[in-house]
Amino acid sequence: MPSSASFQCITLSLLILPAIVLALYFLTSFPHAPDTLLVNPSLASLPKHSRSWQIYPEDAFAGGAYVSLPLGRTRYWLLGPEDGIKIVLIHGLSVPALIWKEIAPRLAERGFRVLLYDLYGRGYSDAPQTTHDASLYTTQLALLLQYIGWSGANICGVSMGGAIAATFAVQFPHLVQGDIALIATAGVLEASDMSRTSRFLSSPLMQFVTSSVPFRMYLQHLASNVSRIDNPSAELVRIQSAHLPGYNPAIASSIREGPVRALSPVFAQLGRQLRKRAKDGAPAGRVLLVWGTKDTVVPYRYSARVKSLLGEDTASLVTLDGAGHDLTLTRGEEIAGKLEAFFNGQDVKE
């Protein structure tokens, strides 16, 4: 008859052995194939009589086309002469390329070759159900540039688009052949600087709720029973939120995990990168910051922080007195003039 100690050893082995076998099975088994990526539709899926087609038609700019990228279709436009200086315009968090309507045509008329497009989850670009972080958007732009045959360009972004532009310049420096303009750029906002409403709406729970069918039906009911508003951009945001199932999750993910905050290291890296290029004798590229003093979304005080991160010798700041966060719409002609001078190699003064 086995001793008590032997009996305990046998019992322990019988308890441990199945756990070891199970662990080895999971460690050595082949992983399951990933599920098919869900891609939600864009504004192009709405009926032609929808209000969105009046505010922001598919042909809002000349030279429009679609490209099918791995994570969904992207809508883009190419304006201006083919031999003009190349500029990419990147919009921000919630309003698609409509935000450039006062600037893109003016730059094209002044001889620039302008590329603008809708980010994933906004406007006429599809909304992949994935994490909407900085790398998603920089990869989208890199693939788009490859598709249209551009080996490089000047880059200009507004709000979240500025943070995307800075990240793109760090991740794909060979594709930025020229200068960088950042208009009221996001990227350095900390969670404590954001409103409680923004933090609440971007939480995983609210992301699930706002993407649900009942919630969107409720928003559609509100949108159909509320009179039109004087601000087309705000109305377009409301329409996207109510009718596009991928829009609210894209916004929430961009706030929580995307290029809205915590990118101070990126701006610092961009400054070091540009200074190193200058030290090595290569065309270094310059950075222009444009900011409004009445900006309540990305307050003007952040301009000094971004400029400090980039380096005083790398970045210059143009202050627009009295301008808010919608400065590309309200001060479009003035900003277009600043960008024209800057991308033509001139020093831009306030």
Side-chain angles (χ1 to χ4, degrees):
M1 184 174 180
S3 65
S4 176
S6 298
F7 181 77
Q8 290 178 355
C9 288
I10 293 172
T11 303
L12 187 61
S13 298
L14 291 175
L15 292 173
I16 294 177
L17 187 60
I20 295 175
V21 172
L22 189 63
L24 289 174
Y25 170 77
F26 282 115
L27 289 173
T28 58
S29 63
F30 287 103
H32 293 290
D35 295 333
T36 301
L37 175 71
L38 176 61
V39 178
N40 291 298
S42 69
L43 284 176
S45 65
L46 300 185
K48 293 294 193 293
H49 59 77
S50 298
R51 172 67 174 156
S52 61
W53 288 86
Q54 301 175 36
I55 300 173
Y56 182 42
E58 197 176 37
D59 58 353
F61 303 97
Y66 286 98
V67 54
S68 293
L69 300 179
L71 297 182
R73 290 202 312 170
T74 292
R75 179 68 174 175
Y76 70 93
W77 298 264
L78 280 169
L79 293 72
E82 294 187 7
D83 59 349
I85 296 174
K86 297 180 176 66
I87 302 175
V88 179
L89 300 179
I90 310 172
H91 69 76
L93 176 68
S94 57
V95 182
L98 177 69
I99 203 75
W100 297 112
K101 69 176 184 177
E102 300 297 329
I103 293 178
R106 285 186 166 94
L107 291 176
E109 291 170 359
R110 297 170 189 181
F112 292 94
R113 184 63 165 168
V114 180
L115 167 66
L116 63 161
Y117 64 105
D118 285 340
L119 295 171
Y120 283 133
R122 285 82 168 172
Y124 290 97
S125 289
D126 289 342
Q129 189 170 299
T130 186
T131 301
H132 284 248
D133 57 12
S135 293
L136 174 72
Y137 299 122
T138 57
T139 303
Q140 180 189 18
L141 178 54
L143 292 173
L144 178 57
L145 289 177
Q146 181 186 51
Y147 176 78
I148 65 174
W150 283 17
S151 60
N154 299 279
I155 308 293
C156 176
V158 60
S159 192
M160 187 181 81
I164 295 171
T167 307
F168 183 82
V170 169
Q171 293 182 351
F172 300 96
H174 59 290
L175 295 178
V176 182
Q177 298 176 358
D179 298 320
I180 303 166
L182 308 176
I183 303 173
T185 182
V188 297
L189 286 169
E190 300 297 338
S192 58
D193 296 319
M194 302 172 67
S195 68
R196 293 179 181 176
T197 301
S198 296
R199 296 200 298 272
F200 175 69
L201 291 177
S202 64
S203 66
L205 174 61
M206 284 306 298
Q207 183 175 356
F208 172 78
V209 171
T210 56
S211 62
S212 66
V213 173
F215 187 82
R216 287 191 297 107
M217 290 180 65
Y218 171 69
L219 291 178
Q220 291 169 23
H221 172 74
L222 289 180
S224 62
N225 287 279
V226 176
S227 60
R228 295 177 183 177
I229 55 181
D230 294 332
N231 188 333
S233 297
E235 189 172 0
L236 185 60
V237 168
R238 188 175 67 186
I239 292 171
Q240 292 177 104
S241 180
H243 293 278
L244 301 184
Y247 179 77
N248 291 326
I251 296 295
S253 182
S254 295
I255 294 173
R256 190 175 63 253
E257 303 149 318
V260 172
R261 58 188 183 86
L263 290 185
S264 294
V266 169
F267 288 101
Q269 174 62 27
L270 177 58
R272 291 192 297 269
Q273 186 174 291
L274 296 178
R275 287 190 292 275
K276 183 178 185 302
R277 286 171 55 181
K279 184 178 179 181
D280 294 341
R286 303 168 300 152
V287 179
L288 175 67
L289 303 176
V290 181
W291 230 291
T293 59
K294 298 297 184 180
D295 194 328
T296 57
V297 178
V298 186
Y300 179 72
R301 66 178 183 274
Y302 284 108
S303 62
R305 183 174 179 185
V306 173
K307 186 176 181 182
S308 176
L309 289 167
L310 290 166
E312 297 292 333
D313 55 339
T314 301
S316 57
L317 171 64
V318 168
T319 299
L320 299 185
D321 188 48
H325 196 65
D326 59 348
L327 68 176
T328 59
L329 294 171
T330 59
R331 306 284 282 271
E333 183 175 1
E334 185 177 359
I335 292 176
K338 302 288 186 183
L339 295 178
E340 177 187 10
F342 178 67
F343 289 126
N344 272 319
Q346 302 174 23
D347 291 330
V348 179
K349 306 296 183 182
E350 295 189 25

